[in-house]
Amino acid sequence: MRPRVDELGRFSDAGLLVLTSLADGAKHGYAMIGDIGQFSGTVLEPGTLYGALARLEKAGWVEPLAAQERRRPYRLTAAGELVLQRQLQSMRRVVSTGTTRLATA
Amino acid sequence: MKPSFHGGRRRGWQLWLLWLYPAAWRQRYREELTALLGAHPDGVRTVLSLIVGAADAHLHPRLVPRAAAGTWRRSPAGAIALLGAIGVLALAEVALQQVRDPVSGWQALVGGHPAARLLLSASQATAALAVLFGLASCVGVVAAVLVGCAATGMSVSLGVTIGCVLLLGRLNSELLPVGWSVAITTMMVAAVIVTWVAHGHICPSRAVGEPAAD
């Protein structure tokens, strides 16, 4: 079955941000919030981050690693990487279409 | 925009908000989220995100596999505490009935026997103790339920709900006949338990590590 990012419900944006953050390697929650703030300007709050993480973990798109002290890193799974690639392709098509239509309007 | 962090400072009042989450969720994420909150900037948005996150976790309990939390089979302490609390409530009810009419019960038993006066004195002393016992039982019921919930990893909010229902039943008993009060309280407790089971907050038989079905 083809995975759908919109299954993440109201956490879809946060889920996409988390997947993107984990695309270059495993991170724990603190590092994810900092990284997401840097590349998107969005400061995820802890409650929102863990709501998204719970959904991503249940979907099998991220997986927890062994805890380091009290912080637990997460990494992208192969299925998560596939979902992220598809979502980014879809977003690129939207950007391309929107840009083209604005230019011709 | 880069978020600013204050490293290592823990905020107890924020950590208390984690108790709003279901037990299974706390068991899975509490430690790492506590570590994150210790480093995250304080603010209204953080509080709101935790409150909304807790509500979301209650609305979607299948997100986190239940593991050991809420398994009555593994740890019957919660069920025992709950039954004990109900037993205490019932005893308090009997005791308070004795307070309301301490004489007639004993008179019916002893009639005109010479020992009646002594027994009536004992009855009045019992009645005085019963007042204290009845008052203490109100606090005791809630405390026993909460301890039971903590022992089994059940959601504290479930314990608070059941405790409130029991107390409402206790107040009802002041206004309604005992039979009605017991019936209403039983129905309310049953409704709460059925509702919470339906939402997956209590899982009597799921084994540890068994995945939750959607």
Side-chain angles (χ1 to χ4, degrees):
Chain A
M1 186 181 74
R2 179 175 172 160
R4 293 172 44 180
V5 171
D6 58 9
E7 287 172 354
L8 295 176
R10 84 173 186 86
F11 289 93
S12 58
D13 290 343
L16 185 60
L17 291 173
V18 169
L19 291 176
T20 305
S21 176
L22 295 180
D24 65 349
K27 294 182 184 67
H28 51 66
Y30 182 90
M32 271 186 261
I33 289 180
D35 181 48
I36 289 168
Q38 277 190 322
F39 76 71
S40 74
T42 300
V43 180
L44 281 191
E45 293 295 335
T48 309
L49 173 68
Y50 273 86
L53 272 177
R55 282 168 168 78
L56 294 171
E57 190 181 343
K58 186 172 189 307
W61 298 341
V62 302
E63 61 186 1
L65 301 175
Q68 299 167 352
E69 295 180 358
R70 296 168 65 213
R71 294 173 176 176
R72 185 181 296 281
Y74 290 82
R75 74 178 170 200
L76 212 55
T77 63
E81 201 173 320
L82 183 65
V83 166
L84 180 59
Q85 283 173 353
R86 284 176 175 165
Q87 186 66 10
L88 293 177
Q89 283 170 5
S90 170
M91 292 173 78
R92 273 194 291 271
R93 284 197 298 274
V94 172
V95 170
S96 172
T97 304
T99 305
T100 304
R101 289 180 181 179
L102 277 174
T104 56
Chain B
M1 180 182 69
K2 182 176 181 176
S4 60
F5 294 103
H6 310 292
R9 200 152 55 93
R10 293 182 60 165
R11 293 159 182 81
W13 64 274
Q14 281 188 352
L15 301 184
W16 275 103
L17 291 174
L18 298 185
W19 285 99
L20 296 174
Y21 282 85
W25 202 98
R26 289 198 310 273
Q27 193 174 49
R28 170 64 184 83
Y29 292 112
R30 186 182 177 194
E31 190 168 353
E32 52 193 281
L33 187 50
T34 298
L36 175 58
L37 286 172
H40 192 72
D42 214 351
V44 175
R45 287 183 59 193
T46 303
V47 172
L48 288 177
S49 86
L50 291 173
I51 292 172
V52 171
D56 176 69
H58 280 285
L59 289 171
H60 303 94
R62 308 287 186 195
L63 276 178
V64 179
R66 200 155 296 275
T71 51
W72 292 52
R73 187 176 58 180
R74 281 172 55 86
S75 176
I80 293 169
L82 190 57
L83 291 175
I86 294 171
V88 167
L89 197 70
L91 284 174
E93 197 60 44
V94 171
L96 287 175
Q97 286 296 325
Q98 182 67 10
V99 172
R100 291 191 192 98
D101 191 6
V103 179
S104 62
W106 288 108
Q107 281 181 334
L109 282 173
V110 299
H113 196 276
R117 182 174 294 178
L118 182 63
L119 287 172
L120 283 173
S121 298
S123 173
Q124 286 162 352
T126 305
L129 287 174
V131 173
L132 294 175
F133 182 61
L135 290 174
S137 71
C138 292
V139 178
V141 164
V142 176
V145 170
L146 289 178
V147 168
C149 291
T152 54
M154 284 166 56
S155 169
V156 170
S157 54
L158 173 61
V160 171
T161 307
I162 294 176
C164 289
V165 166
L166 289 171
L167 284 179
L168 279 176
R170 178 66 193 82
L171 293 176
N172 274 343
S173 69
E174 293 294 332
L175 307 172
L176 299 171
V178 175
W180 278 102
S181 174
V182 170
I184 290 172
T185 304
T186 304
M187 282 191 293
M188 286 195 295
V189 171
V192 167
I193 291 175
V194 166
T195 303
W196 283 73
V197 168
H199 282 82
H201 293 280
I202 305 173
C203 184
S205 59
R206 189 178 297 154
V208 175
E210 183 180 332
D214 268 333

